[in-house]
Amino acid sequence: MGANKVEKLVDGNKGVFEIDVEEYIKENKLISQIHKKEKTSFSTPKMLIDRQPDYHETTINERKEKVIDKFTKKLSEKLSNPKIEITNKAFSDELIEELLSIEKDSFSNELRYSTDDIKKRLQQKASQIIMIYENKTPVGFILSYVSPNLSNEIIYLDTIGIISEKQNLGLGQIMLQLYSKISLFDGFSQIYVLTEKGEKSESLIKFYKRNGFELISNQFKSISNLLIKQLTLKIKENIEDFEVLKTELVTTLKKIIPSPEVEILFDLDHNALQVIIDLEKEFDIDLRYNREELKERSNYKDTFLAIIKDDGIPIASSLCYYDPSLLDHTIFFDTMCIRQKYQSKGIGKLIVKSMLDISKLSKYSQALFYCKNVSKEGINLIEFYKKLGARIVEVLEDKIKMIFQVK
């Protein structure tokens, strides 16, 4: 990394530049930007699931392969016989030469990295190259890594490079969308990118903003802009998947109820919280949340609420979120409510499947929840959830702790 100087500038989608990151953080007070663990609803250490499941890495890799297939199809609209390769270890000399060939075509002499520059960056933690090929010829890449001066939850996007003849085709956006999804699966909470300050970067800043980045600071010695993208379930790249899930759920619900509607909400306003409060009247009083408790939970990361309606009236809901007392791979399924007249129709099973499918769009490989032995209506809840694939983790005095595999 350069000490108090710019090593590489940005012009359009022709790369990014390096600065003294530690100095930049101090000057812009960015340590406060790094999220700390919020107040948690689970305070006892024994409540934690203390390790990743054995299948976690395999599951995440399978999700990445599906996303690579999806974005390869998108690239096929722009390129002939496209291929995406992601490398995060054992960077071959051939791969580095391919990257440098794109640099040579994309950047002027003073903006190009040397072989040593590239190798230095590839020695950083979580270093990764996403390479795009057309007919086996490299046409674009993304280089990123975790800076030693930033939290391990933040990935630093160093360079996006595209050969000149393939620029202005929309490849940069497709590559950035792919990169965002891969980074979300890898468990990063934010992407940092730096751009040159001034008129030259105005179009580039607009490009990043269109793809979910927020301009945080442009005060670093009149040199640079910092843009940050929050990586959560509700990122723009997941919207299409949410719509597919909603459509599939409505199609299945039509076999059960006359006029089904489905909403998936990530920002819970007064009306959304009221839906939960109204539906929880089906529960015993000691199991109901008050508004303040629901407000607290609505502020957690990756909070989402699924609501099922029949003829415009809410009949079921499920609230889920990431509780910061849990390890990063575990999401919490908090409360599922179904109006009594709609119970025993298979709606609960459909809600659970939908919650698991939504969780698969991020880093989660386990879902934790609690239940009673028997419901108010006399249903054996343990057996119900076991049939759906859950297993018991711990038997507590007044409830059972269970988990689903999210795979």
Side-chain angles (χ1 to χ4, degrees), residues 82-265:
K83 183 179 181 181
I84 299 169
E85 288 191 358
I86 300 177
T87 306
N88 49 32
K89 54 186 175 181
F91 302 98
S92 67
D93 290 340
E94 181 182 2
L95 178 61
I96 293 173
E97 285 302 315
E98 289 177 341
L99 187 154
L100 290 171
S101 71
I102 298 173
E103 286 248 319
K104 184 177 180 179
D105 182 88
S106 303
F107 307 135
S108 57
N109 287 333
E110 66 272 15
L111 300 182
R112 296 174 191 164
Y113 282 146
S114 67
T115 301
D116 288 342
D117 291 332
I118 298 297
K119 288 184 176 180
K120 179 180 178 182
R121 283 155 176 78
L122 294 178
Q123 290 172 359
Q124 302 298 325
K125 184 175 181 179
S127 55
Q128 177 179 262
I129 296 174
I130 298 179
M131 187 67 72
I132 308 298
Y133 297 89
E134 180 180 42
N135 293 319
K136 299 183 180 181
T137 299
V139 297
F141 74 91
I142 290 181
L143 169 65
S144 64
Y145 47 83
V146 171
S147 167
N149 299 307
L150 294 174
S151 163
N152 287 337
E153 295 181 356
I154 298 169
I155 189 72
Y156 177 58
L157 196 168
D158 184 299
T159 309
I160 297 179
I162 300 172
I163 62 173
S164 55
E165 69 177 87
K166 298 299 179 180
Q167 292 177 14
N168 302 313
L169 297 177
L171 295 185
Q173 178 160 308
I174 295 174
M175 291 164 62
L176 187 56
Q177 290 173 345
L178 168 65
Y179 175 71
S180 296
K181 287 284 290 183
I182 295 298
S183 299
L184 181 64
F185 288 146
D186 283 334
F188 292 109
S189 63
Q190 295 174 314
I191 302 172
Y192 275 28
V193 66
L194 297 171
T195 72
E196 181 183 10
K197 189 177 178 184
E199 293 183 2
K200 288 184 177 181
S201 288
E202 286 182 2
S203 61
L204 185 58
I205 290 172
K206 289 179 181 178
F207 164 75
Y208 282 117
K209 284 184 173 181
R210 287 197 305 271
N211 287 279
F213 284 78
E214 180 183 0
L215 180 61
I216 300 298
S217 174
N218 59 2
Q219 300 299 317
F220 184 63
K221 297 181 181 178
S222 300
I223 290 177
S224 59
N225 302 300
L226 170 67
L227 294 103
I228 296 177
K229 181 171 185 174
Q230 305 294 338
L231 294 175
T232 66
L233 262 174
K234 64 178 181 179
I235 60 172
K236 181 179 179 180
E237 290 77 8
N238 278 343
I239 291 176
E240 182 181 328
D241 297 295
F242 295 138
E243 293 303 315
V244 170
L245 290 174
K246 285 166 59 177
T247 300
E248 291 176 349
L249 181 54
V250 168
T251 300
T252 306
L253 284 168
K254 284 181 178 178
K255 302 173 184 177
I256 302 173
I257 55 180
S259 303
E261 300 172 45
V262 174
E263 294 181 346
I264 300 174
L265 305 177

Side-chain angles (χ1 to χ4, degrees), residues 355-395:
M355 299 305 97
L356 293 172
D357 286 342
I358 291 172
S359 301
K360 291 174 186 176
L361 297 176
S362 186
K363 60 188 176 182
Y364 301 111
S365 57
Q366 287 186 154
L368 172 68
F369 66 100
Y370 296 91
C371 69
K372 297 281 190 179
N373 283 291
V374 180
S375 73
K376 183 179 177 181
E377 294 72 30
I379 299 172
N380 186 323
L381 294 175
I382 306 302
E383 290 305 311
F384 169 77
Y385 287 117
K386 278 185 174 180
K387 287 180 181 179
L388 298 181
R391 66 180 179 85
I392 295 174
V393 175
E394 186 177 4
V395 177

